[in-house]
Amino acid sequence: MSELRIGIGVHSPITALLAEEAGADVLWLGSLEMSTSRGVPDREILEPHEIAGIIRSVRAATTLPIYVDADTGRGSDELAVLATKLYEEAGADAICVEDNLFPKRNSLDDRFGGRELMDPGVFAGRISAMVAARRSIQVIARTEALVAGHGPDAAVDRLRRYAAAGADALFAQANRASADQLLPVVEKVAPIRPMVLAPTVLPGTDAEAFAAHGPVTVLFANVVMRSLVAQTSRVLHELMASRRLDAVSSELASVERLFELAERSHVRQEEPAPARPEAGNRPHTARRLPPEPESLTDAATGAEADRIRARALMTEAAFDYCAGGAGDEAGTRRNVERLDALTLTPRVLRDVSERSTGIELFGQRLAAPLLVTPMGLQALCHPEAERATAAAATSLDLGFTLSMFGSRSVEEVADVAPDSLWQQVYLLRERAVSWSVVRRAEQAGARALVCTVDVPLVGRRTRDARNGFRRFDAAPPALVRDPCFADLLEHRRRHTPSLTAEELLAEVFPDPAVSWDDLAELRSRTRLPLVVKGILHPQDAVRAVDAGADAIQVSTHGGRQSDRHVAAVDALPGVVAAVGDRVPVLFDSGVRNGTHIASALALGARAVLVGRPVLWGLAAGGRDGVAGVLRSLVEELDHTMALLGASSVTDLGRELIDSREQA
């Protein structure tokens, strides 16, 4: 009995049905086929969530096994594990990763000379991580050793190591220069593990020749797309030359055929999902099942799981904009590390059977001393942007601060957060625009203003420079629709007709000349409580209070302004001591869990504002994702309070901070 299986590369439900009709044993969602069908180069540009969408659509149309090309796993064990879980959830039967360097170059692309491969031990670790994370999906390990010019022995050695790491099947790839070396590899490896091959460079080789040495699946990886391009091009050229449909009629499927394929695909999608083959019945696979997590987020907890999912769902540039910091990002890391380093000394035998996390701030009752800090351009994370974030915070009786550079206007956000909205404002070079933002916030019912004062210049953000990130191209802020800004743009265009909103915003923000006098003027223009954000030095805190601040927000801008600023938590005690009881001190930067919140409160903060974890929750699940993040933070805070012997947040004092930290 032949141990040969034939796979056809497809990219859609219709092409999957055609492959099934032709007798394919396996469907191959190859990166070249999928990328080309979407008009992008085969360089790991498609995001995992896009590929998962393709898998779902194909799975709905067929019961054939689906093998998915995951390239290098986007260059990290973490993302390879995420892809494994994401593609399995979507309905894939096998996932293939290769030992190319990220971003991968197609094995048939010889335009740029040689290539480097991953260290085989490191790649074996990636395979092990994927195997440990999967539930039933098969893991196929692919080597590009022949393509890189290392020869058959090197390819065999790598594949043996990948088999030892737990790979269910092994894949050896060749290019034109190494085509004749493929069969010797199969001879040595097929008896060890089932093999997968894509002999594009061996057009004259009978697939049966490979199966003589053991179980082999031969993938005709990109025949469908190459056929579509070749035949479509020929038909269109003939059509345009003749201007007559009958000149190409013999080359066209009937419209009835299209109806039939579409109806068949639709009917299958509407039917209950059929039972899929058990692992042992899938082509050439042997199951070794470890204990499995029940969902994508079980392998990582809380904010980290959301961050991993957000990275998969967002574009690379958008994720880097949200995740990145200034310079080498040491400041961003330091904020978290210094919070992690704090230790707390519990008090025992205190009645904590009933606990309250609630506080009152500026006349507003909050269920916990927790607010969302201002973060702009949230449409990069989710279409509902700040509306989803504000609605989630409001549903939990927590606070929300709208960035001046938010994707949604204050009027749009106030509609879903009527009682919990604060508005951030920057003092722009054109002060009239800032005053317009203040007026609109007051009219919309905002409860407080937050003036951010730590941006005389925008920090140098390496990730954004590397990606060539342009926020206007990705998600222009709602500020450009402010009436005063629009009038200013119209006025400037009388002299410079080509001026864009993006260029004008770059002219007016930031203003390095902002002074204490400007803060005092802002104070005089509003009756709303005024929070001054971005204070790290005790003397600046005192001066802000003297200028009329109703609260100080200790913040390093999440490490986005400088990589060498003091960590926010290290600055917090000095600011608290300097202002005393004159105004409440708020805190942000580096907060990732409820223990961090408890630590900041113990050091004197009245409330804590959280940033990036909210963005990851937004990207991962919209409003529900944000609500999940905030709810977890409050629950963790409550749990920590119980362990510390605190029945209310006011019981969290300096006595709980380890004496060595206070020293």
mmCIF file of all heavy atoms in Angstrom, residues 43 89 158 161 170 202 215 234 242 257 320 324 375 433 519 548 644:
data_model
loop_
_atom_site.group_PDB
_atom_site.id
_atom_site.type_symbol
_atom_site.label_atom_id
_atom_site.label_comp_id
_atom_site.label_asym_id
_atom_site.label_seq_id
_atom_site.Cartn_x
_atom_site.Cartn_y
_atom_site.Cartn_z
ATOM 1 N N ARG A 43 6.925 37.495 2.771
ATOM 2 C CA ARG A 43 7.959 37.814 3.755
ATOM 3 C C ARG A 43 7.345 37.954 5.155
ATOM 4 O O ARG A 43 7.694 38.855 5.898
ATOM 5 C CB ARG A 43 8.713 39.088 3.363
ATOM 6 C CG ARG A 43 9.568 38.945 2.107
ATOM 7 C CD ARG A 43 10.601 40.056 2.004
ATOM 8 N NE ARG A 43 9.980 41.344 1.769
ATOM 9 C CZ ARG A 43 9.751 41.859 0.557
ATOM 10 N NH1 ARG A 43 10.085 41.167 -0.530
ATOM 11 N NH2 ARG A 43 9.196 43.047 0.430
ATOM 12 N N GLU A 89 -7.266 26.548 16.978
ATOM 13 C CA GLU A 89 -8.622 27.031 17.242
ATOM 14 C C GLU A 89 -9.384 27.268 15.947
ATOM 15 O O GLU A 89 -10.589 27.029 15.879
ATOM 16 C CB GLU A 89 -8.568 28.350 18.021
ATOM 17 C CG GLU A 89 -8.543 28.200 19.522
ATOM 18 C CD GLU A 89 -8.895 29.502 20.212
ATOM 19 O OE1 GLU A 89 -8.839 30.571 19.586
ATOM 20 O OE2 GLU A 89 -9.224 29.449 21.394
ATOM 21 N N ARG A 158 19.930 18.262 11.096
ATOM 22 C CA ARG A 158 18.939 19.190 11.640
ATOM 23 C C ARG A 158 17.590 18.493 11.836
ATOM 24 O O ARG A 158 16.949 18.633 12.885
ATOM 25 C CB ARG A 158 18.782 20.404 10.710
ATOM 26 C CG ARG A 158 19.899 21.437 10.856
ATOM 27 C CD ARG A 158 19.744 22.572 9.859
ATOM 28 N NE ARG A 158 20.736 23.612 10.099
ATOM 29 C CZ ARG A 158 20.517 24.728 10.784
ATOM 30 N NH1 ARG A 158 19.323 24.949 11.311
ATOM 31 N NH2 ARG A 158 21.475 25.615 10.960
ATOM 32 N N ARG A 161 17.452 16.335 14.863
ATOM 33 C CA ARG A 161 17.348 17.108 16.100
ATOM 34 C C ARG A 161 15.923 17.606 16.303
ATOM 35 O O ARG A 161 15.407 17.631 17.425
ATOM 36 C CB ARG A 161 18.333 18.280 16.081
ATOM 37 C CG ARG A 161 19.787 17.846 16.038
ATOM 38 C CD ARG A 161 20.737 19.011 16.089
ATOM 39 N NE ARG A 161 20.731 19.669 17.402
ATOM 40 C CZ ARG A 161 21.636 20.550 17.787
ATOM 41 N NH1 ARG A 161 22.638 20.876 16.966
ATOM 42 N NH2 ARG A 161 21.573 21.115 18.976
ATOM 43 N N LEU A 170 8.565 15.880 9.386
ATOM 44 C CA LEU A 170 9.762 16.637 9.009
ATOM 45 C C LEU A 170 9.661 17.051 7.552
ATOM 46 O O LEU A 170 9.138 16.310 6.717
ATOM 47 C CB LEU A 170 11.020 15.797 9.247
ATOM 48 C CG LEU A 170 11.191 15.269 10.678
ATOM 49 C CD1 LEU A 170 12.374 14.313 10.755
ATOM 50 C CD2 LEU A 170 11.366 16.420 11.662
ATOM 51 N N LEU A 202 11.464 20.146 -8.751
ATOM 52 C CA LEU A 202 11.654 18.830 -9.369
ATOM 53 C C LEU A 202 10.442 18.502 -10.237
ATOM 54 O O LEU A 202 9.706 17.543 -9.974
ATOM 55 C CB LEU A 202 11.835 17.752 -8.297
ATOM 56 C CG LEU A 202 12.995 17.949 -7.315
ATOM 57 C CD1 LEU A 202 12.915 16.933 -6.198
ATOM 58 C CD2 LEU A 202 14.320 17.845 -8.039
ATOM 59 N N PRO A 215 6.539 7.037 4.785
ATOM 60 C CA PRO A 215 5.357 7.888 4.593
ATOM 61 C C PRO A 215 5.747 9.312 4.205
ATOM 62 O O PRO A 215 6.525 9.964 4.902
ATOM 63 C CB PRO A 215 4.649 7.850 5.945
ATOM 64 C CG PRO A 215 5.678 7.388 6.915
ATOM 65 C CD PRO A 215 6.659 6.557 6.178
ATOM 66 N N ARG A 234 -3.660 35.295 -19.648
ATOM 67 C CA ARG A 234 -3.879 34.955 -21.062
ATOM 68 C C ARG A 234 -5.292 35.322 -21.503
ATOM 69 O O ARG A 234 -5.498 35.943 -22.555
ATOM 70 C CB ARG A 234 -3.636 33.463 -21.285
ATOM 71 C CG ARG A 234 -3.767 33.050 -22.744
ATOM 72 C CD ARG A 234 -3.479 31.589 -22.958
ATOM 73 N NE ARG A 234 -4.509 30.735 -22.368
ATOM 74 C CZ ARG A 234 -4.312 30.001 -21.279
ATOM 75 N NH1 ARG A 234 -3.136 30.008 -20.671
ATOM 76 N NH2 ARG A 234 -5.292 29.242 -20.801
ATOM 77 N N SER A 242 -9.437 41.299 -28.551
ATOM 78 C CA SER A 242 -10.578 41.039 -29.438
ATOM 79 C C SER A 242 -11.790 41.895 -29.122
ATOM 80 O O SER A 242 -12.626 42.126 -30.007
ATOM 81 C CB SER A 242 -10.975 39.569 -29.344
ATOM 82 O OG SER A 242 -11.472 39.282 -28.037
ATOM 83 N N ARG A 257 -21.417 26.949 -13.075
ATOM 84 C CA ARG A 257 -20.370 26.312 -12.280
ATOM 85 C C ARG A 257 -20.022 27.170 -11.066
ATOM 86 O O ARG A 257 -19.795 26.661 -9.959
ATOM 87 C CB ARG A 257 -19.137 26.107 -13.161
ATOM 88 C CG ARG A 257 -17.889 25.598 -12.463
ATOM 89 C CD ARG A 257 -18.087 24.216 -11.919
ATOM 90 N NE ARG A 257 -16.794 23.591 -11.619
ATOM 91 C CZ ARG A 257 -16.608 22.680 -10.689
ATOM 92 N NH1 ARG A 257 -17.643 22.261 -9.959
ATOM 93 N NH2 ARG A 257 -15.422 22.153 -10.489
ATOM 94 N N ASP A 320 4.213 48.094 17.941
ATOM 95 C CA ASP A 320 5.455 48.718 18.405
ATOM 96 C C ASP A 320 5.210 50.142 18.884
ATOM 97 O O ASP A 320 5.847 50.599 19.844
ATOM 98 C CB ASP A 320 6.494 48.712 17.286
ATOM 99 C CG ASP A 320 7.193 47.374 17.151
ATOM 100 O OD1 ASP A 320 6.992 46.514 18.019
ATOM 101 O OD2 ASP A 320 7.946 47.186 16.173
ATOM 102 N N GLY A 324 6.332 50.389 22.574
ATOM 103 C CA GLY A 324 7.691 50.911 22.605
ATOM 104 C C GLY A 324 7.907 52.031 23.598
ATOM 105 O O GLY A 324 6.972 52.654 24.106
ATOM 106 N N MET A 375 -4.052 57.664 26.767
ATOM 107 C CA MET A 375 -3.263 57.007 25.718
ATOM 108 C C MET A 375 -3.931 57.296 24.390
ATOM 109 O O MET A 375 -5.118 57.034 24.205
ATOM 110 C CB MET A 375 -3.192 55.494 25.959
ATOM 111 C CG MET A 375 -2.484 55.111 27.245
ATOM 112 S SD MET A 375 -2.560 53.339 27.551
ATOM 113 C CE MET A 375 -4.302 53.160 27.989
ATOM 114 N N VAL A 433 -6.168 76.346 20.424
ATOM 115 C CA VAL A 433 -6.627 74.969 20.223
ATOM 116 C C VAL A 433 -6.737 74.264 21.570
ATOM 117 O O VAL A 433 -7.697 73.531 21.830
ATOM 118 C CB VAL A 433 -5.686 74.214 19.270
ATOM 119 C CG1 VAL A 433 -6.140 72.762 19.112
ATOM 120 C CG2 VAL A 433 -5.640 74.896 17.909
ATOM 121 N N LEU A 519 0.771 77.247 32.721
ATOM 122 C CA LEU A 519 -0.033 76.381 33.569
ATOM 123 C C LEU A 519 -0.997 77.224 34.405
ATOM 124 O O LEU A 519 -2.173 76.860 34.578
ATOM 125 C CB LEU A 519 0.861 75.547 34.480
ATOM 126 C CG LEU A 519 0.133 74.566 35.404
ATOM 127 C CD1 LEU A 519 -0.578 73.491 34.585
ATOM 128 C CD2 LEU A 519 1.105 73.930 36.399
ATOM 129 N N GLY A 548 -1.855 76.082 41.252
ATOM 130 C CA GLY A 548 -3.281 75.785 41.232
ATOM 131 C C GLY A 548 -3.642 74.351 40.939
ATOM 132 O O GLY A 548 -4.832 74.042 40.753
ATOM 133 N N LEU A 644 -2.331 41.419 53.167
ATOM 134 C CA LEU A 644 -1.562 42.406 53.923
ATOM 135 C C LEU A 644 -2.252 42.819 55.217
ATOM 136 O O LEU A 644 -1.689 43.581 56.008
ATOM 137 C CB LEU A 644 -1.320 43.642 53.062
ATOM 138 C CG LEU A 644 -0.400 43.462 51.859
ATOM 139 C CD1 LEU A 644 -0.381 44.733 51.010
ATOM 140 C CD2 LEU A 644 1.015 43.106 52.308
#
